[in-house]
Amino acid sequence: MADAPEDMVESVLPTRWNRDFEKIANDLCPQLQRWTRTPQRVITFDKDEGQYFGVRAVPAEYPIDKLPSKTLGKGDGFILDFGIHMVGYLSMRLESRGSHMDAPCRLRLTFGESPLDVTLGMENVKTWISTSWLPDEIINIDMCPEEVSLSRRYSFRFLRVEVIDTSPKYKVTFSDVKCQCVSAISQNHSLEAPQFNDSLLQQIDHVSISTLRDCMQTVFEDGPRRDRRLWSGDLRLQALANYSTFRDFNLVKRCIFQFAAVVREDDSVPACIFEQPQLTPSTDYIVDYDALFAAITYDYVVASGDKAAGHSLWPTVLGCVKRALTHLDANTHAFDESKGEGWKFLDWQPGLEHSAGLHGVLLYCLKAANSLATVLGKEAPFVDLVAQMTEAAKVFLSPDNVFVSGPKGQVSFASASWLVLAEAYPQETAKAALINTLAHPDALKPLTPYLWHHVCDALATVGLFDKCVEIMTSYWGGMVRAGADTFWECYNPEDPRASPYGDARNNSFCHAWSCTPTYLLRGKLREFVGVNETKSVTMGHLDEYWIRSQVGSQ
Amino acid sequence: MADAPEDMVESVLPTRWNRDFEKIANDLCPQLQRWTRTPQRVITFDKDEGQYFGVRAVPAEYPIDKLPSKTLGKGDGFILDFGIHMVGYLSMRLESRGSHMDAPCRLRLTFGESPLDVTLGMENVKTWISTSWLPDEIINIDMCPEEVSLSRRYSFRFLRVEVIDTSPKYKVTFSDVKCQCVSAISQNHSLEAPQFNDSLLQQIDHVSISTLRDCMQTVFEDGPRRDRRLWSGDLRLQALANYSTFRDFNLVKRCIFQFAAVVREDDSVPACIFEQPQLTPSTDYIVDYDALFAAITYDYVVASGDKAAGHSLWPTVLGCVKRALTHLDANTHAFDESKGEGWKFLDWQPGLEHSAGLHGVLLYCLKAANSLATVLGKEAPFVDLVAQMTEAAKVFLSPDNVFVSGPKGQVSFASASWLVLAEAYPQETAKAALINTLAHPDALKPLTPYLWHHVCDALATVGLFDKCVEIMTSYWGGMVRAGADTFWECYNPEDPRASPYGDARNNSFCHAWSCTPTYLLRGKLREFVGVNETKSVTMGHLDEYWIRSQVGSQ
């Protein structure tokens, strides 16, 4: 998810706090793991139209170990490449050279997740979300030597340092530049490392894991650079990727109980919560995210075996679908987005008709609730409704077997993927309709990795593995080829400066909802893509391997 | 003094450290006094061509106690008036208002000594000294409520706060804005308060004291805003003003021993020293500032009665005139600026010929050394030289009794004032020549308050009190009428944006060398200007009185 547009925010009902749930969540707060990374090389970016961002990182004239011997004055600067995306706290030692430091030193530090950040600068950014997210700091140092430690956490691979001014009498040197990285996942954390036959898929799996790790802080963050919050729909995808990799069940449990602690008086689950200054529900509400709480809980109980949590959360699961249910036509039981209130999301695509897709989401979630009931030894509560909605789903299939939504019969990938995932039709029907819809010339395509994931998951669900891998290698693989260490909030193969916010410098380049290829590759796609062998490696080992692949043996 | 141009800096001889002197200085380091000030009012600046800076401070639509109830978002801001110039550390409480603080808050804080700072902004400042001195900070606050405390010391009366961005979801409030002021002089420090007949002179006396207090930190600083160092020529003036007011002898003693601790191998005294990161002489060397060390020491011993210090410093006093003496013509004993090396200052006036003025400075200092010898019970070392230089001084008087300097016979206030102060001529001769020179159509006038002080002191020395008071009321009085709380580094009655640095936003508006009127008013001018009564008051009382005079009873 991402920062929500102002017009999507509604006035909300009061919160019905569950302090017991809040305590469970608080007790599960992870001790963040910390480790230190140092820059691998000094680089410049040369123009190169053959590259996605139009620039290519080139080693500077001097190696990184010569940086401390360089003296920099007004207008000088450099760009450091740490060789890997990190979330953490920067520090460096600043010393003065010359007759005396007779004036302060003013620096601009720009933290780059992408080459755009450190090559375009941060001036004149036109964006409708807060420019306070822009990753630059201007700092003033009165006296050297000084150990400069930035108190704010940044998310970056590149660091651009610009000396705004020293004085005619002195220059400065930079040494001991380092980042204290943080994550809930330590460098010693061990995980399964399947060796895929295809090296691009291997990289995609790796980048997925890095994305997930950097988003795993004291909650599953949306993006560590910007919008550092917990969103429920995104949590679902992160949790699935986590079950296939780190298997950190406590962090998922903590987040689920955080949501359950702050449901509204009508039992709806907020779309998003804040941890600081204290646990607070956001005013954002999204119908699909609300209902997905049932699926998140079911997935968690199955993956962890923690039935006790399932029992505790059962009332919340029952409550989370209530607002979505108000959208059902009383006669047909088909979801109609005009019938109830609340923001329906699925994707950021403008003009998207949500009825068919939300029908799929809701059916999917009701089934998850029924499955959870079975696991918990309860009676499944939505058996009749599932049957009714399955029957109703026929209205979203056109006579020529294409998924359609709304009064104008809009064709979209969103409708198709969620109706398939909900298994609303016999598999062969679903498979054919999915093929037809994806090939339909008028079909609205996804704008976000979030919906691309659901398209891929739907394809894998009906056995269309080759099409699924094709999308994965072109979409997520496109980001890897463009230089991604972590997967991005948004990716437009045609336009490196595309942004839902008006300016790509406010985009996040490590974003939770893009981390799912590892879940599919290690799950539904595993057999299809082929795995040579499976080893157990530490996260530190994977990181070192990545850095070497990025910067060589420098 | 001020930041020295690069071409005035020379390669210097090694330092001959005197660690005993350094220890004496260190042991005298004052515990800085601290007190808290809060803003008096929220203001705007309206255009007003009748005002020196072209703007007039006008109370905002709401009183200061309503500030915490104001919510500010992107593009909003305000200017606070603390009612008095301060040196210290800003803090404030920031809270968020709205649904939630879902993005950082980015603020720009601009600390104004003058209205220019907070009305012009700090963009596009063209100046040859470091722009790192510009008094603004951009800060980012991730989460509220937050007690924002700036770690850097600022020198200001006005604070402009600009909200660069919040987010569409929240705004911020500002409360508990305060400045922890620092000085070697406490609010409880008691000093004599003569009640002058003339209210402008009363204000000038007051502003002098405020200037001095704000420059008195762990050393006598040049200016607390910029160039926060100890310069010897400036120390002399501050010490004289201090003897007439605060009588803090220890701080003067500390500074004298700091200089004496770092003389060069040729016995010359550096023009300036740095305290941080450890005591260090600057590479700046000024011939007149070197010699003036003798006068500073003599003044200190007389004012404090501390003859022991005089004995310790005696070798340094003998050494400090040596480089100046190399400029004397071997036959005539007249100072010739072309004969020796080193920057001769007197004033920043371009094209100034220094021979006559430096002759005056050196003669003044040799006499001070002789007088110090007498006080210490030593034989005066420069009796013959004083006689020779007194005789030689005749060459600087033209046949028509005007002070002249150099091969072209340049007429200047600088030559006149120092030759008069040196008492190189019978008083009536000096008086007439001073009158003639100041009235001379080609005479080079002073550019700095430093030289204007010496002009005034010379006038008072020969009894030209009315002319002295006339200059004081027009020059220092001009600053008071223009709104000065403290006297400025430079003042051009015709041009509020005049600057020796190319941009007035790098000027200092609380500057040591401008604090001397109180010394003259309480000394040589006391009888002439008339004093009704003399009370003893605390500095806190004087400050409160000033604030009330500035902002009324708000």
Side-chain angles (χ1 to χ4, degrees):
Chain A
M1 184 38 67
D3 291 77
E6 201 166 12
D7 58 6
M8 292 297 192
V9 176
E10 56 184 315
S11 61
V12 289
L13 290 169
T15 298
R16 203 179 58 222
W17 289 92
N18 186 319
R19 300 297 179 186
D20 293 337
F21 284 180
E22 186 178 3
K23 181 171 187 318
I24 291 169
N26 287 346
D27 290 347
L28 290 166
C29 185
Q31 180 75 37
L32 286 183
Q33 306 294 319
R34 293 170 188 272
W35 65 98
T36 300
R37 289 207 188 285
T38 54
Q40 299 296 309
R41 53 181 191 167
V42 189
I43 56 170
T44 58
F45 282 99
D46 286 358
K47 279 201 175 176
D48 183 344
E49 292 305 325
Q51 301 291 311
Y52 179 69
F53 289 113
V55 291
R56 175 190 293 274
V58 175
E61 286 166 9
Y62 54 96
I64 186 70
D65 58 348
K66 293 284 182 253
L67 176 64
S69 68
K70 301 289 172 188
T71 58
L72 291 92
K74 182 173 188 166
D76 296 335
F78 54 87
I79 300 174
L80 298 180
D81 177 8
F82 284 74
I84 191 169
H85 185 275
M86 307 166 299
V87 178
Y89 299 88
L90 182 81
S91 63
M92 60 174 92
R93 180 172 172 85
L94 205 64
E95 296 182 26
S96 69
R97 294 285 183 271
S99 58
H100 196 90
M101 186 166 175
D102 64 339
C105 173
R106 185 170 287 201
L107 304 177
R108 182 196 295 267
L109 306 177
T110 309
F111 296 83
E113 286 193 315
S114 91
L116 294 178
D117 296 322
V118 292
T119 55
L120 295 180
M122 292 293 153
E123 301 297 327
N124 301 314
V125 174
K126 303 285 185 233
T127 166
W128 55 263
I129 58 172
S130 178
T131 57
S132 301
W133 283 121
L134 294 176
D136 64 330
E137 297 272 355
I138 292 177
I139 61 171
N140 299 293
I141 298 98
D142 282 326
M143 187 50 61
C144 285
E146 172 84 5
E147 305 293 334
V148 178
S149 291
L150 270 68
S151 62
R152 302 178 73 217
R153 199 191 72 183
Y154 272 103
S155 180
F156 65 111
R157 168 173 168 170
F158 306 111
L159 171 67
R160 181 176 177 184
V161 175
E162 295 170 275
V163 179
I164 296 176
D165 215 340
T166 52
S167 93
K169 281 216 177 183
Y170 80 97
K171 294 187 174 188
V172 284
T173 65
F174 296 84
S175 57
D176 203 18
V177 183
K178 56 184 187 282
C179 176
Q180 188 180 48
C181 303
V182 288
S183 168
I185 300 299
S186 81
Q187 289 286 281
N188 295 325
H189 196 105
S190 178
L191 71 163
E192 194 192 40
Q195 303 300 299
F196 296 102
N197 287 335
D198 183 284
S199 68
L200 180 59
L201 293 178
Q202 190 74 45
Q203 286 179 293
I204 289 172
D205 181 68
H206 188 116
V207 173
S208 301
I209 292 167
S210 295
T211 308
L212 180 62
R213 185 265 312 278
D214 284 350
C215 290
M216 289 173 73
Q217 302 294 334
T218 51
V219 295
F220 283 92
E221 294 188 9
D222 188 28
R225 169 185 180 138
R226 204 210 67 237
D227 194 41
R228 304 168 179 171
R229 300 177 257 173
L230 173 62
W231 291 84
S232 64
D234 309 62
L235 169 60
R236 176 172 163 266
L237 301 190
Q238 290 172 293
L240 290 174
N242 171 51
Y243 303 145
S244 304
T245 53
F246 303 122
R247 301 180 62 79
D248 181 346
F249 299 112
N250 279 342
L251 190 62
V252 181
K253 182 174 183 178
R254 165 172 161 81
C255 293
I256 293 175
F257 276 90
Q258 285 179 318
F259 277 111
V262 294
V263 297
R264 303 295 183 186
E265 286 189 346
D266 65 352
D267 294 335
S268 67
V269 181
C272 155
I273 61 153
F274 297 95
E275 277 191 290
Q276 298 295 335
Q278 62 276 322
L279 180 66
T280 315
S282 167
T283 52
D284 302 278
Y285 174 77
I286 303 175
V287 179
D288 28 340
Y289 276 36
D290 184 5
L292 283 167
F293 182 84
I296 297 166
T297 305
Y298 170 64
D299 292 340
Y300 167 72
V301 172
V302 170
S304 68
D306 182 4
K307 291 186 191 175
H311 284 285
S312 299
L313 295 163
W314 183 246
T316 317
V317 169
L318 290 178
C320 78
V321 294
K322 283 168 63 176
R323 272 188 75 171
L325 289 173
T326 63
H327 293 75
L328 296 190
D329 184 285
N331 297 318
T332 67
H333 298 97
F335 195 101
D336 181 346
E337 78 167 331
S338 67
K339 286 217 182 297
E341 290 195 339
W343 171 20
K344 272 73 75 175
F345 176 62
L346 301 180
D347 188 31
W348 280 119
Q349 184 64 262
L352 181 64
E353 218 289 338
H354 297 90
S355 299
L358 261 294
H359 191 90
V361 171
L362 179 53
L363 181 53
Y364 183 91
C365 294
L366 293 173
K367 287 182 170 180
N370 284 343
S371 300
L372 179 58
T374 305
V375 170
L376 299 179
K378 294 177 183 289
E379 193 179 344
F382 300 120
V383 174
D384 292 349
L385 194 53
V386 163
Q388 290 160 339
M389 285 186 71
T390 302
E391 177 64 21
K394 291 175 181 168
V395 77
F396 299 117
L397 264 186
S398 74
D400 51 348
N401 208 27
V402 165
F403 293 109
V404 291
S405 183
K408 295 182 181 171
Q410 183 187 76
V411 182
S412 74
F413 284 39
S415 304
S417 51
W418 275 108
L419 284 168
V420 170
L421 286 170
E423 300 180 335
Y425 315 95
Q427 176 151 337
E428 285 311 307
T429 308
K431 188 171 178 175
L434 182 59
I435 291 170
N436 292 343
T437 302
L438 267 52
H440 196 281
D442 299 335
L444 270 186
K445 289 189 176 178
L447 205 63
T448 63
Y450 179 73
L451 181 52
W452 275 120
H453 160 77
H454 293 112
V455 172
C456 285
D457 198 4
L459 286 166
T461 298
V462 293
L464 290 166
F465 299 117
D466 48 355
K467 181 68 182 167
C468 176
V469 170
E470 183 190 317
I471 290 174
M472 194 179 283
T473 53
S474 89
Y475 190 74
W476 281 270
M479 289 189 248
V480 168
R481 285 188 296 270
D485 299 287
T486 49
F487 287 123
W488 309 341
E489 178 178 23
C490 56
Y491 169 56
N492 181 337
E494 307 303 319
D495 182 4
R497 302 208 187 170
S499 171
Y501 313 117
D503 196 300
R505 286 167 285 184
N506 236 344
N507 289 4
S508 157
F509 291 85
C510 174
H511 220 69
W513 68 11
S514 306
C515 77
T516 54
T518 190
Y519 159 67
L520 294 174
L521 286 170
R522 290 162 181 245
K524 293 174 187 170
L525 292 176
R526 189 183 189 108
E527 203 169 323
F528 176 76
V529 300
V531 170
N532 280 332
E533 58 169 328
T534 293
K535 296 187 288 191
S536 180
V537 295
T538 63
M539 199 59 211
H541 177 88
L542 283 181
D543 286 347
E544 283 309 311
Y545 177 82
W546 182 259
I547 292 170
R548 281 202 308 279
S549 77
Q550 296 292 300
V551 301
S553 57
Q554 284 193 321
Chain B
M1 187 37 68
D3 291 78
E6 200 167 10
D7 58 5
M8 293 296 192
V9 176
E10 55 184 317
S11 60
V12 289
L13 289 170
T15 298
R16 203 177 59 223
W17 288 92
N18 186 320
R19 299 296 180 186
D20 292 337
F21 285 0
E22 186 178 2
K23 183 175 186 315
I24 291 170
N26 287 346
D27 290 348
L28 289 166
C29 185
Q31 180 75 37
L32 286 183
Q33 306 294 319
R34 294 170 186 272
W35 65 98
T36 299
R37 290 211 186 283
T38 53
Q40 299 296 307
R41 53 181 190 166
V42 189
I43 57 170
T44 57
F45 282 98
D46 286 357
K47 279 199 175 177
D48 183 343
E49 293 305 324
Q51 301 292 309
Y52 178 70
F53 289 112
V55 291
R56 175 188 293 275
V58 175
E61 286 166 10
Y62 55 96
I64 186 71
D65 60 345
K66 292 284 183 257
L67 176 64
S69 68
K70 301 290 173 187
T71 58
L72 290 92
K74 182 174 188 165
D76 295 336
F78 55 86
I79 299 174
L80 298 179
D81 177 9
F82 283 74
I84 191 169
H85 185 275
M86 308 167 298
V87 178
Y89 300 88
L90 182 80
S91 63
M92 60 174 89
R93 181 174 171 82
L94 204 65
E95 296 182 26
S96 69
R97 295 284 183 269
S99 57
H100 196 89
M101 185 166 177
D102 64 340
C105 173
R106 184 171 287 201
L107 303 176
R108 183 194 294 267
L109 306 176
T110 309
F111 297 83
E113 285 192 317
S114 91
L116 294 180
D117 296 322
V118 291
T119 55
L120 296 181
M122 290 294 152
E123 301 297 328
N124 301 315
V125 174
K126 303 283 185 235
T127 166
W128 57 263
I129 58 171
S130 178
T131 56
S132 301
W133 284 122
L134 294 176
D136 64 330
E137 296 272 357
I138 292 178
I139 61 171
N140 299 294
I141 298 98
D142 282 326
M143 188 48 63
C144 286
E146 172 85 5
E147 305 294 334
V148 178
S149 291
L150 269 66
S151 60
R152 303 178 72 215
R153 199 192 73 182
Y154 273 103
S155 180
F156 65 110
R157 168 173 168 169
F158 306 111
L159 172 68
R160 181 175 179 185
V161 176
E162 294 169 277
V163 180
I164 296 175
D165 214 339
T166 52
S167 93
K169 281 216 175 180
Y170 80 97
K171 294 187 173 188
V172 285
T173 65
F174 296 83
S175 58
D176 202 19
V177 184
K178 56 183 186 284
C179 176
Q180 188 183 48
C181 303
V182 288
S183 167
I185 300 300
S186 82
Q187 290 286 282
N188 295 325
H189 196 105
S190 179
L191 69 166
E192 193 194 38
Q195 303 299 299
F196 296 103
N197 288 335
D198 182 283
S199 68
L200 180 59
L201 293 178
Q202 190 74 44
Q203 286 179 293
I204 290 172
D205 181 67
H206 188 115
V207 173
S208 301
I209 293 167
S210 295
T211 308
L212 181 61
R213 185 265 310 277
D214 284 349
C215 291
M216 288 172 73
Q217 302 294 333
T218 51
V219 296
F220 282 94
E221 293 187 10
D222 188 28
R225 170 187 181 137
R226 205 210 66 237
D227 195 42
R228 304 167 179 171
R229 298 177 257 171
L230 173 61
W231 291 83
S232 63
D234 309 62
L235 168 60
R236 175 172 164 265
L237 301 189
Q238 289 171 292
L240 291 172
N242 170 51
Y243 304 146
S244 305
T245 53
F246 303 123
R247 302 179 63 76
D248 180 346
F249 299 113
N250 279 342
L251 191 62
V252 181
K253 182 174 183 177
R254 165 173 161 80
C255 293
I256 293 174
F257 276 89
Q258 284 179 318
F259 278 111
V262 294
V263 296
R264 303 295 183 185
E265 285 190 347
D266 65 351
D267 294 335
S268 67
V269 181
C272 156
I273 61 153
F274 297 95
E275 276 192 290
Q276 298 295 336
Q278 61 274 324
L279 179 65
T280 315
S282 167
T283 52
D284 303 277
Y285 174 77
I286 304 175
V287 178
D288 28 339
Y289 274 37
D290 184 5
L292 283 166
F293 182 85
I296 296 166
T297 305
Y298 170 63
D299 291 341
Y300 167 71
V301 172
V302 170
S304 67
D306 181 4
K307 290 185 191 176
H311 284 285
S312 299
L313 295 163
W314 182 245
T316 316
V317 168
L318 290 178
C320 79
V321 293
K322 283 168 65 176
R323 272 189 75 169
L325 290 174
T326 64
H327 293 76
L328 295 191
D329 183 285
N331 298 318
T332 66
H333 298 96
F335 195 100
D336 181 346
E337 77 167 332
S338 68
K339 287 219 181 297
E341 292 196 338
W343 173 20
K344 274 71 78 174
F345 177 61
L346 300 180
D347 189 29
W348 281 119
Q349 184 65 262
L352 182 64
E353 219 289 337
H354 297 90
S355 299
L358 261 292
H359 192 91
V361 171
L362 179 54
L363 180 54
Y364 182 92
C365 294
L366 293 172
K367 287 182 171 180
N370 284 343
S371 300
L372 178 58
T374 305
V375 170
L376 299 179
K378 294 176 183 290
E379 191 177 344
F382 302 119
V383 173
D384 291 349
L385 194 54
V386 163
Q388 288 160 340
M389 285 185 71
T390 301
E391 177 64 20
K394 289 176 181 167
V395 74
F396 299 117
L397 266 187
S398 73
D400 51 347
N401 209 24
V402 165
F403 293 109
V404 289
S405 183
K408 295 183 181 169
Q410 183 187 75
V411 181
S412 74
F413 284 39
S415 305
S417 49
W418 275 107
L419 285 167
V420 170
L421 286 168
E423 299 180 338
Y425 316 95
Q427 175 151 340
E428 285 311 308
T429 308
K431 188 172 178 173
L434 182 59
I435 292 170
N436 292 344
T437 302
L438 268 51
H440 196 283
D442 299 334
L444 270 185
K445 289 190 175 177
L447 204 65
T448 63
Y450 178 74
L451 180 53
W452 275 120
H453 160 76
H454 293 111
V455 173
C456 285
D457 198 4
L459 287 164
T461 299
V462 294
L464 290 167
F465 300 117
D466 48 357
K467 182 68 182 167
C468 177
V469 170
E470 183 190 317
I471 290 174
M472 194 179 284
T473 53
S474 89
Y475 190 75
W476 282 269
M479 289 189 249
V480 168
R481 285 187 296 270
D485 300 285
T486 49
F487 287 123
W488 309 341
E489 177 179 23
C490 56
Y491 168 55
N492 180 338
E494 306 303 320
D495 181 7
R497 301 207 188 170
S499 170
Y501 313 117
D503 196 302
R505 286 167 285 185
N506 238 344
N507 289 4
S508 157
F509 292 85
C510 174
H511 221 68
W513 69 10
S514 306
C515 78
T516 54
T518 189
Y519 159 68
L520 294 173
L521 285 168
R522 290 162 181 245
K524 293 174 186 168
L525 291 176
R526 188 183 190 106
E527 203 168 322
F528 176 76
V529 300
V531 170
N532 280 330
E533 59 170 326
T534 293
K535 297 187 288 191
S536 179
V537 295
T538 63
M539 199 58 212
H541 178 87
L542 283 181
D543 285 346
E544 284 309 309
Y545 177 82
W546 182 259
I547 292 171
R548 281 202 308 280
S549 78
Q550 295 293 301
V551 301
S553 57
Q554 285 191 317

